[in-house]
Amino acid sequence: EDQVTQSPEALRLQEGESSSLNCSYTVSGLRGLFWYRQDPGKGPEFLFTLYSAGEEKEKERLKATLTKKESFLHITAPKPEDSATYLCAVRGFQGAQKLVFGQGTRLTINP
Amino acid sequence: GAGVSQTPSNKVTEKGKYVELRCDPISGHTALYWYRQSLGQGPEFLIYFQGTGAADDSGLPNDRFFAVRPEGSVSTLKIQRTERGDSAVYLCASSQAAGSYNEQFFGPGTRLTVL
Protein backbone atom coordinates (compact mmCIF):
# COMPACT_ATOMS: atom_id res chain seq x y z
CA GLU A 1 0.00 0.00 0.00
CA ASP A 2 1.33 3.43 -0.96
CA GLN A 3 2.09 5.68 2.02
CA VAL A 4 3.20 9.27 2.56
CA THR A 5 4.44 10.81 5.81
CA GLN A 6 5.17 14.52 6.15
CA SER A 7 7.25 16.23 8.80
CA PRO A 8 7.08 18.35 10.77
CA GLU A 9 3.32 18.59 11.33
CA ALA A 10 3.67 22.31 12.00
CA LEU A 11 6.50 24.81 11.54
CA ARG A 12 6.79 28.43 12.62
CA LEU A 13 9.47 30.62 11.04
CA GLN A 14 10.38 34.26 11.10
CA GLU A 15 10.16 36.16 7.85
CA GLY A 16 13.37 35.54 5.91
CA GLU A 17 14.27 32.36 7.84
CA SER A 18 14.83 29.57 5.30
CA SER A 19 13.87 25.95 6.04
CA SER A 20 12.77 22.65 4.49
CA LEU A 21 9.68 20.46 4.70
CA ASN A 22 10.04 16.69 4.40
CA CYS A 23 7.89 14.13 2.58
CA SER A 24 8.82 10.46 3.03
CA TYR A 25 7.06 7.93 0.83
CA THR A 26 6.73 4.27 0.02
CA VAL A 27 5.15 3.43 -3.31
CA SER A 28 4.83 0.50 -5.70
CA GLY A 29 6.63 2.19 -8.57
CA LEU A 30 6.54 5.98 -8.56
CA ARG A 31 4.51 7.59 -11.33
CA GLY A 32 4.79 11.07 -9.84
CA LEU A 33 5.26 12.98 -6.60
CA PHE A 34 3.15 16.12 -6.23
CA TRP A 35 3.32 19.18 -3.99
CA TYR A 36 0.23 21.26 -3.31
CA ARG A 37 -0.40 24.37 -1.22
CA GLN A 38 -3.69 24.69 0.69
CA ASP A 39 -4.98 27.88 2.29
CA PRO A 40 -7.67 27.69 5.00
CA GLY A 41 -11.12 27.03 3.55
CA LYS A 42 -9.79 26.45 0.03
CA GLY A 43 -8.90 23.50 -2.17
CA PRO A 44 -5.30 22.40 -2.76
CA GLU A 45 -3.39 24.50 -5.29
CA PHE A 46 -0.95 22.63 -7.54
CA LEU A 47 2.73 23.57 -7.15
CA PHE A 48 5.07 20.90 -8.60
CA THR A 49 5.31 17.41 -10.05
CA LEU A 50 8.53 15.37 -9.78
CA TYR A 51 8.99 12.07 -11.61
CA SER A 52 12.47 10.71 -10.96
CA ALA A 53 15.19 10.81 -8.32
CA GLY A 54 17.49 13.78 -8.74
CA GLU A 55 14.84 15.97 -10.32
CA GLU A 56 14.40 19.53 -9.00
CA LYS A 57 11.80 22.21 -9.71
CA GLU A 58 11.60 25.83 -8.59
CA LYS A 59 8.90 28.46 -8.31
CA GLU A 60 9.64 31.81 -6.70
CA ARG A 61 10.87 31.07 -3.16
CA LEU A 62 10.07 27.34 -3.34
CA LYS A 63 12.25 24.49 -4.61
CA ALA A 64 11.23 20.85 -4.62
CA THR A 65 13.73 17.98 -4.77
CA LEU A 66 13.29 14.21 -5.02
CA THR A 67 15.21 11.12 -3.95
CA LYS A 68 14.14 7.48 -4.08
CA LYS A 69 12.64 7.68 -0.57
CA GLU A 70 11.74 11.29 0.09
CA SER A 71 11.10 14.74 -1.25
CA PHE A 72 11.98 18.09 0.23
CA LEU A 73 10.26 21.41 -0.24
CA HIS A 74 12.83 24.10 0.43
CA ILE A 75 11.57 27.57 1.18
CA THR A 76 14.08 30.40 0.87
CA ALA A 77 13.62 33.74 2.63
CA PRO A 78 9.89 33.16 3.20
CA LYS A 79 7.31 35.91 3.48
CA PRO A 80 4.11 35.94 5.57
CA GLU A 81 2.07 35.19 2.42
CA ASP A 82 3.84 31.83 2.18
CA SER A 83 1.90 30.74 5.28
CA ALA A 84 -0.28 27.75 4.34
CA THR A 85 -0.51 23.98 4.65
CA TYR A 86 1.76 22.17 2.20
CA LEU A 87 0.59 18.77 1.03
CA CYS A 88 2.67 16.03 -0.58
CA ALA A 89 1.10 13.22 -2.63
CA VAL A 90 2.26 10.25 -4.69
CA ARG A 91 0.83 8.32 -7.58
CA GLY A 92 2.03 4.75 -7.89
CA PHE A 93 1.61 2.01 -10.45
CA GLN A 94 -0.74 -0.02 -8.24
CA GLY A 95 -2.92 2.94 -7.35
CA ALA A 96 -3.60 3.80 -10.99
CA GLN A 97 -4.82 7.40 -11.13
CA LYS A 98 -5.45 8.18 -7.49
CA LEU A 99 -3.22 10.42 -5.40
CA VAL A 100 -2.20 9.29 -1.92
CA PHE A 101 -1.65 12.32 0.32
CA GLY A 102 0.31 12.93 3.47
CA GLN A 103 -1.29 14.79 6.37
CA GLY A 104 0.42 18.04 5.42
CA THR A 105 2.78 20.51 7.10
CA ARG A 106 1.20 23.67 8.48
CA LEU A 107 3.67 26.50 7.84
CA THR A 108 3.40 29.87 9.59
CA ILE A 109 5.69 32.77 8.68
CA ASN A 110 5.74 35.54 11.27
CA PRO A 111 6.53 39.11 10.11
CA GLY B 1 -14.70 27.65 -16.85
CA ALA B 2 -11.51 29.03 -15.37
CA GLY B 3 -11.29 26.42 -12.65
CA VAL B 4 -13.09 23.54 -10.98
CA SER B 5 -16.29 24.71 -9.29
CA GLN B 6 -18.26 22.92 -6.59
CA THR B 7 -21.71 23.55 -5.18
CA PRO B 8 -22.86 24.09 -2.57
CA SER B 9 -19.87 25.50 -0.70
CA ASN B 10 -21.47 24.46 2.60
CA LYS B 11 -24.14 21.88 3.35
CA VAL B 12 -25.66 21.20 6.76
CA THR B 13 -27.96 18.22 7.05
CA GLU B 14 -29.44 15.93 9.65
CA LYS B 15 -28.41 12.36 10.31
CA GLY B 16 -30.26 9.99 7.99
CA LYS B 17 -30.91 12.51 5.21
CA TYR B 18 -29.81 12.26 1.57
CA VAL B 19 -27.39 14.81 0.05
CA GLU B 20 -26.02 15.58 -3.40
CA LEU B 21 -22.76 17.44 -4.03
CA ARG B 22 -21.99 18.83 -7.48
CA CYS B 23 -18.70 19.28 -9.32
CA ASP B 24 -18.08 21.22 -12.54
CA PRO B 25 -14.62 20.35 -13.93
CA ILE B 26 -12.32 22.52 -16.00
CA SER B 27 -13.64 22.69 -19.56
CA GLY B 28 -12.06 19.99 -21.72
CA HIS B 29 -10.83 17.87 -18.82
CA THR B 30 -11.88 14.26 -19.32
CA ALA B 31 -10.75 12.85 -15.97
CA LEU B 32 -12.57 13.73 -12.73
CA TYR B 33 -11.80 12.73 -9.15
CA TRP B 34 -13.55 12.95 -5.79
CA TYR B 35 -11.63 13.12 -2.51
CA ARG B 36 -12.67 13.59 1.11
CA GLN B 37 -10.66 15.64 3.63
CA SER B 38 -11.14 15.48 7.37
CA LEU B 39 -9.85 18.22 9.66
CA GLY B 40 -6.07 18.18 9.95
CA GLN B 41 -5.66 15.40 7.39
CA GLY B 42 -4.74 15.17 3.74
CA PRO B 43 -7.37 14.38 1.12
CA GLU B 44 -8.41 10.72 0.73
CA PHE B 45 -9.37 9.30 -2.66
CA LEU B 46 -12.99 8.26 -3.22
CA ILE B 47 -13.63 7.70 -6.93
CA TYR B 48 -12.23 8.49 -10.38
CA PHE B 49 -14.08 8.95 -13.69
CA GLN B 50 -12.62 8.75 -17.16
CA GLY B 51 -15.34 10.19 -19.36
CA THR B 52 -18.74 8.95 -18.20
CA GLY B 53 -17.58 5.75 -16.53
CA ALA B 54 -16.26 5.22 -13.02
CA ALA B 55 -12.84 3.73 -13.69
CA ASP B 56 -11.91 3.29 -10.02
CA ASP B 57 -14.39 3.47 -7.11
CA SER B 58 -12.17 1.65 -4.64
CA GLY B 59 -12.13 4.58 -2.20
CA LEU B 60 -15.89 4.77 -1.62
CA PRO B 61 -16.30 3.82 2.06
CA ASN B 62 -19.58 1.88 1.68
CA ASP B 63 -22.68 1.52 -0.48
CA ARG B 64 -24.25 4.69 0.92
CA PHE B 65 -21.89 6.63 -1.35
CA PHE B 66 -22.47 6.81 -5.09
CA ALA B 67 -21.28 9.13 -7.85
CA VAL B 68 -22.35 9.74 -11.44
CA ARG B 69 -21.08 11.66 -14.45
CA PRO B 70 -23.75 11.02 -17.09
CA GLU B 71 -22.49 13.30 -19.85
CA GLY B 72 -18.78 13.17 -19.13
CA SER B 73 -18.64 16.66 -17.65
CA VAL B 74 -20.50 17.57 -14.44
CA SER B 75 -20.40 14.98 -11.66
CA THR B 76 -22.65 14.46 -8.64
CA LEU B 77 -21.59 12.70 -5.45
CA LYS B 78 -24.60 11.24 -3.67
CA ILE B 79 -24.68 10.18 -0.03
CA GLN B 80 -27.65 8.26 1.35
CA ARG B 81 -28.65 7.94 5.02
CA THR B 82 -25.94 10.38 6.12
CA GLU B 83 -24.06 9.71 9.36
CA ARG B 84 -22.17 12.11 11.63
CA GLY B 85 -18.92 10.47 10.52
CA ASP B 86 -19.58 11.64 6.95
CA SER B 87 -18.86 15.23 8.03
CA ALA B 88 -15.83 16.43 6.07
CA VAL B 89 -14.80 18.61 3.14
CA TYR B 90 -15.52 16.88 -0.17
CA LEU B 91 -13.06 17.91 -2.87
CA CYS B 92 -13.36 17.46 -6.60
CA ALA B 93 -10.41 17.56 -9.01
CA SER B 94 -10.02 17.27 -12.77
CA SER B 95 -7.19 16.62 -15.20
CA GLN B 96 -6.81 16.83 -18.96
CA ALA B 97 -6.72 13.05 -19.24
CA ALA B 98 -5.73 10.07 -17.20
CA GLY B 99 -2.04 9.31 -17.21
CA SER B 100 1.21 9.99 -15.48
CA TYR B 101 1.79 13.45 -16.89
CA ASN B 102 -1.53 15.05 -16.05
CA GLU B 103 -1.78 17.08 -12.88
CA GLN B 104 -5.01 17.16 -10.92
CA PHE B 105 -6.51 20.59 -10.27
CA PHE B 106 -8.81 20.92 -7.29
CA GLY B 107 -11.98 22.86 -6.63
CA PRO B 108 -12.71 24.78 -3.41
CA GLY B 109 -14.62 21.88 -1.86
CA THR B 110 -18.01 21.39 -0.22
CA ARG B 111 -18.01 21.40 3.57
CA LEU B 112 -20.59 18.82 4.71
CA THR B 113 -21.81 18.87 8.28
CA VAL B 114 -24.11 16.10 9.50
CA LEU B 115 -25.88 16.97 12.74
Side-chain angles (χ1 to χ4, degrees):
Chain A
E1 183 180 332
D2 301 341
Q3 287 190 322
V4 176
T5 302
Q6 293 187 246
S7 60
E9 289 189 8
L11 181 62
R12 285 185 175 271
L13 300 171
Q14 291 298 121
E15 184 172 2
E17 181 184 0
S18 300
S19 188
S20 296
L21 312 182
N22 177 264
C23 170
S24 296
Y25 65 91
T26 56
V27 67
S28 55
L30 184 68
R31 296 179 66 193
L33 183 140
F34 303 82
W35 282 99
Y36 286 84
R37 169 192 170 127
Q38 187 172 30
D39 292 299
K42 297 191 175 181
E45 174 190 346
F46 172 76
L47 293 174
F48 303 109
T49 311
L50 302 166
Y51 293 105
S52 56
E55 191 175 358
E56 299 183 353
K57 287 194 176 170
E58 287 188 66
K59 179 180 179 179
E60 297 181 354
R61 295 176 291 283
L62 298 176
K63 183 168 83 170
T65 62
L66 181 65
T67 73
K68 289 186 178 180
K69 295 183 178 180
E70 57 193 354
S71 177
F72 292 94
L73 185 66
H74 307 277
I75 181 161
T76 302
K79 299 181 178 182
E81 54 262 41
D82 294 322
S83 298
T85 295
Y86 290 85
L87 295 164
C88 173
V90 296
R91 182 159 57 200
F93 280 104
Q94 282 192 1
Q97 301 306 318
K98 73 178 183 183
L99 297 181
V100 176
F101 282 86
Q103 80 279 19
T105 292
R106 192 171 63 254
L107 178 64
T108 305
I109 308 299
N110 295 316
Chain B
V4 178
S5 61
Q6 293 187 244
T7 55
S9 56
N10 281 285
K11 176 71 177 177
V12 180
T13 190
E14 292 180 343
K15 180 174 178 291
K17 298 288 189 182
Y18 168 84
V19 296
E20 290 190 350
L21 312 179
R22 175 189 167 109
C23 172
D24 231 309
I26 293 171
S27 179
H29 280 193
T30 60
L32 185 147
Y33 313 79
W34 285 98
Y35 293 81
R36 178 167 72 173
Q37 187 174 27
S38 300
L39 192 63
Q41 301 297 315
E44 290 182 295
F45 170 79
L46 295 176
I47 186 170
Y48 147 64
F49 287 89
Q50 180 56 47
T52 60
D56 181 0
D57 64 358
S58 62
L60 294 178
N62 51 60
D63 61 6
R64 295 187 297 106
F65 289 75
F66 189 71
V68 295
R69 195 185 184 200
E71 297 179 354
S73 178
V74 170
S75 176
T76 304
L77 179 65
K78 308 180 180 192
I79 311 174
Q80 298 177 323
R81 304 183 303 279
T82 51
E83 300 177 357
R84 293 195 179 90
D86 298 334
S87 296
V89 175
Y90 289 81
L91 294 164
C92 177
S94 69
S95 65
Q96 283 191 326
S100 298
Y101 302 100
N102 291 290
E103 292 85 10
Q104 297 179 21
F105 297 93
F106 283 81
T110 293
R111 181 176 299 277
L112 175 66
T113 303
V114 182
L115 301 176

